[in-house]
Amino acid sequence: MGNCCCRGSEAFEGDFVGFDLTGPNDPKVIAQDTCFTEDEVYALFELFREVSTSVVADGLIHKDEFSVAIFKTSQINLFVERVFELFDTKRNGVVDFGEFVRSLSVFHPQAPLRDKVDFAFKIYDMKHTGVIEKDEVFNLLSALLHENPDLRLPKEAVADLVDRTFQEVDISKSGYISMEEWHNLCSQNPTVISYMTLSVLKELTTRYPSFVFRKQT
């Protein structure tokens, strides 16, 4: 694809020193597993290299690097914890190149809607019970609102918002939101997971992937 045939040339070898791009981290393998082309995977490597060397130059993304790069904050809140945990599929406390690109693929505009819905469900399912409970929504929503001074609400107002949401979504009146109920909500109101699509991921080979590392002014 494109200029991928020259990726193994001497001109590129120096760029990969200290990074594991073999086995499941091989860009060709990653491209087969994701919505990205091989050229786009290499474009994402440029981003990964910057993020993974911003604090600890070990070719891996640590939680503090992830927080600053993705969310523009050094404060690791509950939402950051949840997203990082989902990217860290090996559960070893760091994110390697393969994990990074494969997890990012779900945000691609061409990624299946079901994958986006399932990923968003996992963000809320903090206890890994297969359902979304009220306290999970309350805690996550409180963490998100705390990061935005303009949207901070009293705990009572947040609790009321969560109660009203459950009254609408929890059709079975079970006290929690099942995967089926979550899928129904997202199909009827796609804006609920609009954050799961990053249109800029379609432009990786024509612009530097600064959608994550862009400095705020």
Side-chain angles (χ1 to χ4, degrees):
M1 298 179 184
N3 296 322
C4 288
C5 58
C6 67
R7 295 299 186 183
S9 67
E10 184 177 349
F12 285 92
E13 288 178 357
D15 293 342
F16 302 150
V17 174
F19 296 88
D20 177 16
L21 296 184
T22 62
N25 286 346
D26 185 325
K28 187 183 294 293
V29 175
I30 294 175
Q32 295 172 347
D33 295 341
T34 66
C35 296
F36 300 112
T37 66
E38 193 172 346
D39 273 342
E40 289 171 336
V41 173
Y42 276 101
L44 283 171
F45 172 75
E46 298 301 318
L47 169 64
F48 180 84
R49 179 172 56 181
E50 289 218 37
V51 176
S52 64
T53 58
S54 61
V55 178
V56 182
D58 58 359
L60 298 165
I61 295 180
H62 295 255
K63 191 178 296 182
D64 50 354
E65 293 172 323
F66 187 83
S67 180
V68 172
I70 305 296
F71 297 101
K72 307 297 186 299
T73 177
S74 59
Q75 300 297 317
I76 300 177
N77 60 37
L78 183 60
F79 187 74
V80 174
E81 292 270 5
R82 289 299 302 134
V83 178
F84 183 83
E85 182 179 340
L86 292 177
F87 270 65
D88 177 21
T89 58
K90 296 178 182 176
R91 301 291 184 264
N92 59 357
V94 291
V95 174
D96 64 28
F97 182 56
E99 289 175 310
F100 179 71
V101 182
R102 286 184 173 86
S103 297
L104 199 59
S105 180
V106 74
F107 294 90
H108 194 285
Q110 295 179 358
L113 178 61
R114 173 168 288 276
D115 291 349
K116 295 177 182 292
V117 174
D118 289 348
F119 190 95
F121 184 89
K122 291 176 183 177
I123 293 177
Y124 287 96
D125 181 18
M126 293 182 285
K127 299 176 185 177
H128 310 288
T129 57
V131 297
I132 299 175
E133 301 177 19
K134 279 190 177 182
D135 62 327
E136 293 173 321
V137 177
F138 175 84
N139 291 333
L140 191 59
L141 184 58
S142 296
L144 289 172
L145 293 174
H146 182 74
E147 292 301 310
N148 191 331
D150 296 330
L151 295 177
R152 287 181 184 173
L153 297 174
K155 289 185 178 180
E156 295 76 11
V158 177
D160 181 63
L161 178 60
V162 173
D163 285 340
R164 285 188 282 112
T165 299
F166 270 70
Q167 289 175 8
E168 177 183 350
V169 181
D170 179 19
I171 304 300
S172 65
K173 305 304 177 185
S174 59
Y176 55 76
I177 298 175
S178 66
M179 178 66 82
E180 181 180 358
E181 290 169 333
W182 177 252
H183 273 267
N184 289 337
L185 170 65
C186 295
S187 63
Q188 295 171 10
N189 188 6
T191 57
V192 170
I193 58 167
S194 59
Y195 63 89
M196 288 298 304
T197 297
L198 298 174
S199 58
V200 75
L201 290 178
K202 296 178 65 176
E203 307 168 358
L204 290 172
T205 56
T206 58
R207 51 186 288 191
Y208 184 77
S210 59
F211 61 96
V212 172
F213 216 77
R214 184 181 300 114
K215 297 291 188 296
Q216 288 185 330
T217 57

